[in-house]
């Protein structure tokens, strides 16, 4: 568990958090990831972002992901596993060439509860979610979240979410419950 840590990039370059491995269950409580710049470079084969999740079941509670600059694939890159975000602030991040601020695919799915997601700018939606590789019960679940003043760089697509699923006859596996947009 990481408690009340402040993660930023040296001289503004690099990522903040990298969680990898199928059994990783690292918890982050009250942590801040801010002022990083990640242009899509890799480290040990994994992409570097403000937050990179590649498997496992990490938990973020009361964390802030703010004022980060992203290149390819966004600010929070989630490629496998299940993450949990509770009472987190995702604010003032810019990733104009990426699909989204939070990008999930490859079977990745998450729960967001009581989070505020505001003032972010991306190319194709603040949340970009492809549920094609998810099992039927692996949803992107958002409960009691607030989306405010998010934008896409060209004003098209969905400033809140862009979701897709390539499984025939199935809609994207996303649930929004009591959210404000």
């Amino acid at each position: 568990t990481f408690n009340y840590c402040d993660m930023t990039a040296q001289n503004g370059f690099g990522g903040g958090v990298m969680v990898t491995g199928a059994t990783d269950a690292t918890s982050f409580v009250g942590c801040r990831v801010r002022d990083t710049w990640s242009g899509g470079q890799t480290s040990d084969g994994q992409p570097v972002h403000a937050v990179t999740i590649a498997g496992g079941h990490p938990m973020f509670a009361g964390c802030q992901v703010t004022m980060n600059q992203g290149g390819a694939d966004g600010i929070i890159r989630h490629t496998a596993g299940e993450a949990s975000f509770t009472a987190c602030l995702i604010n003032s991040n810019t990733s104009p060439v990426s699909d989204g601020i939070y990008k999930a695919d490859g079977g990745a799915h998450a729960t967001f509860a009581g989070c505020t997601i505001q003032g972010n700018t991306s190319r194709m939606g603040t949340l970009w979610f492809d549920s094609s590789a998810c099992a039927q019960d692996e949803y992107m679940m958002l409960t009691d979240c607030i989306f405010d003043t998010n934008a896409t760089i060209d004003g098209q697509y969905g400033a809140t979410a862009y979701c897709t699923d390539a499984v025939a006859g199935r809609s994207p596996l996303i649930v929004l419950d009591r959210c404000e947009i």
Side-chain angles (χ1 to χ4, degrees):
T1 300
F2 289 86
N3 289 307
Y4 301 96
C5 297
D6 195 13
M7 295 165 241
T8 189
Q10 184 176 10
N11 299 322
F13 290 94
V17 171
M18 183 178 287
V19 177
T20 63
T23 60
D24 190 300
T26 304
S27 295
F28 299 88
V29 179
C31 294
R32 294 187 306 175
V33 180
R34 60 182 179 83
D35 296 317
T36 68
W37 187 90
S38 51
Q41 65 274 27
T42 60
S43 173
D44 291 334
Q46 295 294 332
V48 175
H49 300 281
V51 177
T52 301
I53 304 167
H57 304 280
M59 187 270 299
F60 300 83
C63 294
Q64 298 178 14
V65 179
T66 61
M67 298 180 291
N68 298 287
Q69 299 289 319
D73 289 334
I75 302 298
I76 302 172
R77 181 67 170 111
H78 191 175
T79 58
E82 180 178 15
S84 170
F85 297 85
T86 304
C88 292
L89 173 65
I90 301 171
N91 181 44
S92 300
N93 298 288
T94 304
S95 194
V97 298
S98 72
D99 293 332
I101 297 299
Y102 172 88
K103 182 176 179 180
D105 60 6
H109 55 287
T111 299
F112 291 84
C115 295
T116 299
I117 303 165
Q118 67 183 20
N120 300 290
T121 302
S122 67
R123 185 174 74 89
M124 288 182 69
T126 302
L127 299 178
W128 189 97
F129 178 49
D130 181 351
S131 59
S132 300
C134 291
Q136 188 67 29
D137 62 344
E138 295 176 332
Y139 288 89
M140 178 75 63
M141 178 66 141
L142 296 104
T143 303
D144 296 317
C145 293
I146 297 170
F147 290 84
D148 186 30
T149 61
N150 297 294
T152 55
I153 196 69
D154 63 2
Q156 296 180 349
Y157 301 103
T160 300
Y162 180 89
C163 304
T164 186
D165 192 307
V167 176
R170 185 168 87 174
S171 297
L173 302 176
I174 186 166
V175 175
L176 287 91
D177 180 41
R178 298 184 314 262
C179 293
E180 294 179 33
I181 299 172

